[in-house]
Structure formats: C-alpha cells, structure tokens
C-alpha cells in the first residue's frame, strides 16, 4: 500500500501528482498486464535476446 503524507496547507493536486509518480515507479500496472496472459519462458528469453541484439545494433551504428 502506498502512503503519501500530505502536509498542512499542501495543494491536493501536488499530493496527487506525488502519488501518481510513486505508483508508476512501483510498476503495478505493468505487472498486472503481464499476468493477464501467460508467456512461455522460451518466448520471454527470445524477446530478451532480440531486444539485446537491437540495442547492440544501435550502439554499433552510433560508434561508426
């Protein structure tokens, strides 16, 4: 559970903004979306390898 202490006289919009930022950092929604559907471990590994190759290709182009 997230706890956001609100100071006396603090604008509620500012406190809400802090809550949203803290909520995004916990990656709760991302985890919920991932758990909606099962992905096989082999598919997960394949995606990681493809992502690493893509990033490596970008870095190689940068160094040219």
């Amino acid at each position: 559970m997230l706890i956001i202490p609100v100071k006396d006289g603090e604008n509620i919009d500012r406190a809400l903004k802090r809550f949203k930022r803290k909520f995004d950092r916990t990656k709760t929604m991302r985890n919920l979306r991932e758990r909606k559907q099962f992905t096989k471990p082999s598919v997960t590994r394949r995606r990681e390898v493809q992502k690493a190759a893509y990033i490596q290709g970008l870095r190689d182009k940068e160094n040219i």
Side-chain angles (χ1 to χ4, degrees), residues 3-20:
I3 298 172
I4 307 295
V6 180
K7 301 171 188 164
D8 290 337
E10 183 179 13
N11 190 353
I12 191 70
D13 291 331
R14 180 168 286 197
L16 187 61
K17 188 173 185 176
R18 282 192 294 138
F19 171 77
K20 287 180 180 180

Side-chain angles (χ1 to χ4, degrees), residues 4-40:
I4 307 295
V6 180
K7 301 171 188 164
D8 290 337
E10 183 179 13
N11 190 353
I12 191 70
D13 291 331
R14 180 168 286 197
L16 187 61
K17 188 173 185 176
R18 282 192 294 138
F19 171 77
K20 287 180 180 180
R21 196 176 320 129
K22 202 170 193 181
F23 183 78
D24 285 341
R25 288 183 184 150
T26 60
K27 300 178 184 175
T28 306
M29 291 304 292
R30 186 178 301 167
N31 288 337
L32 286 174
R33 287 186 186 119
E34 285 176 4
R35 291 177 185 206
K36 269 185 167 180
Q37 184 176 350
F38 178 77
T39 52
K40 294 179 2 183

